Amino acid sequence: MGTEARSIAPLRSLTLDLPPSCIEFCPGHPEYFVVGTYNLQTEADEEKPPVADDEEQGQRSNKSIQTRDGSLVLFRLTGISDINHEQTVLYPSAILDLHFHPNREDRSILVVVSSTGALSFFKLCASEGSPASLKEISTHRPLGDDEGVLLLSCSWHPHIPELLAITTSSHEVHILRVTDSWEVYETCHTPVITHSLEAWTVSFSSLIPHIPATESSESSPQQFAIYSGGDDSNLFATGCAYYPNRIGGEDDVIETPYPPIAFRGHEAGVTAILPLDLQLALLDSVVITGSYDDHIRVYAVNGDGGGMPPQRPRLLAEQNLQGGVWRLKLITLERCGNSTSEREPGVEETPGKEQGWKALVLASCMHAGSSMLEITGQGTTELCEIKVLGRFEEHKSMNYGSDFQPGSELGGRNIRCISTSFYDRLLCLWEF
């Protein structure tokens, strides 16, 4: 099926000052995007960039503290192929991940995690008549002052706006509570998940949290699933119970009543997790993963939306993408012939009803560049297929970050994408 993939040419390319590690468009101002960079200040250090494609990466947390810095670079897309540099914000440590909040403050708040355990919030200010800029709101060290622990990734909860998950080079997954004034607090005295090597990535279930029926609705927890991937080749999932009424007290705000379950099938580190906003027949939901072993995989799980931890993960499909799958970004999701990238929450299909689905996904595939994927499946069978529709292979080094411009997927237009590569510091604009 790989012979069907279309080769994609760049519309515009430019070279950055520092190696790019992550990128995201601003959903509140979709003409703007931010690139995070990662720079080693000492030439003597041969350490890999924020990720690695060899077995030695698992030993990184045992090394001495390195001297790294980075930056946030704000760009604006104008016209057909113009990329305008708007601002560079220097940052005292290397940027490892960044994400805009999906709904708070006009979706213009950016969270950044870094190589010294620091976490920062920025606001993208973009109004007519004045230059756009990123303004720092606050910086925190949510897990303490140990600068030897890297914050490797972060993820906002799609339905509970104050919850933010982070992963660390010390193998842990934590859930933080972010206040309206952008202060940060731990929700649990211990990690919600612990790996045996670096915890590369984390994602909350995309389904609406379950609230059990009790006599006192105020004391009822919001129950949801969380997934994490590690350099130990494990994809873990567990169920969480969030008690907002405990805020300000001594008890944990989030409990994990059940031990994590492991998904089988990954032959190297798990680096990308994409839960789909689908709830299919027999309460199945769908989770897509990426790994250092060059494969993308599609799993069905039970129990994701009912308060229990996910159960009985089954591998539906897998495909070799010729490069380590570092990031996955959902572009569109179709069911019942209705296409949407942000479907109305809470819409579920009747169990037992035959229901097909189709997802368009942008994959960042490290040394293989970026790929545009179509993943299709059925709601009442375990039939699933992965197709590579297009490949962007202009990058000559590791493609760690790619994103699409929000809105470009609508109305039958070409989807506008930005992809980056690390060692050659290349940034490219292309369309599919």
Side-chain angles (χ1 to χ4, degrees):
M1 62 179 68
T3 58
E4 301 175 2
R6 171 161 62 93
S7 179
I8 304 169
L11 296 176
R12 177 79 186 277
S13 300
L14 55 88
T15 302
L16 301 171
D17 293 332
L18 296 176
S21 55
C22 46
I23 175 179
E24 190 162 279
F25 276 90
C26 178
H29 304 282
E31 68 272 30
Y32 294 96
F33 64 91
V34 177
V35 176
T37 68
Y38 179 109
N39 181 49
L40 282 171
Q41 294 178 313
T42 55
E43 295 182 359
D45 191 339
E46 296 181 355
E47 183 194 18
K48 294 290 182 180
V51 298
D53 56 353
D54 58 26
E55 295 179 356
E56 296 177 359
Q57 178 62 22
Q59 305 300 321
R60 178 153 59 97
S61 60
N62 294 325
K63 296 183 178 181
S64 60
I65 297 174
Q66 306 296 333
T67 304
R68 314 174 185 89
D69 62 6
S71 61
L72 297 171
V73 190
L74 176 64
F75 291 97
R76 183 182 184 185
L77 290 186
T78 60
I80 297 176
S81 60
D82 291 333
I83 306 173
N84 297 330
H85 172 252
E86 299 288 323
Q87 182 192 21
T88 296
V89 178
L90 299 180
Y91 199 82
S93 49
I95 305 297
L96 289 165
D97 200 10
L98 55 81
H99 290 290
F100 281 95
H101 198 287
N103 45 53
R104 285 172 69 172
E105 295 201 23
D106 299 323
R107 299 181 296 172
S108 62
I109 300 297
L110 182 71
V111 63
V112 172
V113 294
S114 76
S115 62
T116 58
L119 178 154
S120 297
F121 298 108
F122 290 82
K123 182 176 178 61
L124 174 56
C125 300
S127 58
E128 294 186 11
S130 60
S133 63
L134 290 168
K135 298 187 182 300
E136 185 175 353
I137 299 172
S138 60
T139 294
H140 309 275
R141 294 190 179 278
L143 304 181
D145 295 329
D146 184 358
E147 294 189 1
V149 175
L150 291 73
L151 302 187
L152 298 177
S153 69
C154 59
S155 178
W156 291 107
H157 197 292
H159 303 291
I160 306 176
E162 66 268 29
L163 295 186
L164 174 70
I166 58 173
T167 68
T168 75
S169 60
S170 57
H171 318 162
E172 297 175 348
V173 180
H174 295 265
I175 300 177
L176 307 176
R177 182 176 63 87
V178 182
T179 69
D180 290 342
S181 57
W182 305 104
E183 296 296 321
V184 174
Y185 298 93
E186 291 188 72
T187 59
C188 186
H189 291 91
T190 59
V192 294
I193 295 174
T194 300
H195 289 261
S196 60
L197 292 171
E198 285 92 336
W200 285 128
T201 187
V202 62
S203 185
F204 291 102
S205 168
S206 58
L207 302 182
I208 295 175
H210 173 74
I211 301 178
T214 63
E215 294 182 0
S216 174
S217 59
E218 294 183 358
S219 62
S220 297
Q222 300 179 61
Q223 298 174 331
F224 55 84
I226 189 171
Y227 302 86
S228 69
D231 207 49
D232 53 8
S233 305
N234 280 319
L235 172 67
F236 285 134
T238 193
C240 298
Y242 174 46
Y243 295 85
N245 62 307
R246 295 181 181 177
I247 293 173
E250 296 183 357
D251 294 334
D252 286 342
V253 177
I254 286 182
E255 295 181 352
T256 51
Y258 309 97
I261 66 158
F263 288 50
R264 298 182 182 275
H266 300 95
E267 298 179 3
V270 179
T271 49
I273 305 170
L274 178 61
L276 296 185
D277 188 9
L278 288 171
Q279 191 159 4
L280 306 174
L282 306 177
L283 297 180
D284 283 344
S285 57
V286 176
V287 178
I288 306 172
T289 69
S291 170
Y292 280 144
D293 65 12
D294 296 354
H295 282 72
I296 184 173
R297 294 177 173 85
V298 184
Y299 290 88
V301 296
N302 291 100
D304 189 339
M308 296 286 289
Q311 299 290 331
R312 296 183 57 240
R314 284 105 58 210
L315 180 63
L316 302 184
E318 59 183 331
Q319 171 97 357
N320 190 327
L321 297 185
Q322 312 303 319
V325 185
W326 178 245
R327 287 291 181 263
L328 296 169
K329 184 65 178 278
L330 179 66
I331 299 176
T332 60
L333 182 61
E334 295 183 21
R335 282 199 306 186
C336 294
N338 297 322
S339 176
T340 178
S341 58
E342 292 187 6
R343 187 174 54 84
E344 286 296 321
V347 178
E348 301 178 2
E349 299 302 325
T350 302
K353 181 180 179 181
E354 182 67 25
Q355 181 59 50
W357 58 271
K358 178 169 66 175
L360 186 64
V361 175
L362 174 62
S364 300
C365 298
M366 297 176 72
H367 59 271
S370 301
S371 292
M372 195 68 69
L373 312 174
E374 181 184 81
I375 305 174
T376 56
Q378 295 294 326
T380 56
T381 69
E382 298 197 349
L383 178 67
C384 184
E385 184 179 13
I386 303 168
K387 292 182 180 179
V388 181
L389 302 182
R391 298 183 188 272
F392 183 80
E393 300 175 307
E394 293 295 315
H395 296 290
K396 304 307 178 185
S397 70
M398 296 296 188
N399 168 218
Y400 291 131
S402 309
D403 199 9
F404 75 99
Q405 184 178 26
S408 65
E409 79 281 11
L410 304 175
R413 294 176 289 174
N414 289 338
I415 300 170
R416 307 187 81 192
C417 299
I418 296 285
S419 57
T420 62
S421 45
F422 192 85
Y423 294 108
D424 57 5
R425 297 177 282 118
L426 191 65
L427 183 148
C428 297
L429 169 65
W430 47 277
E431 291 185 346
F432 177 79

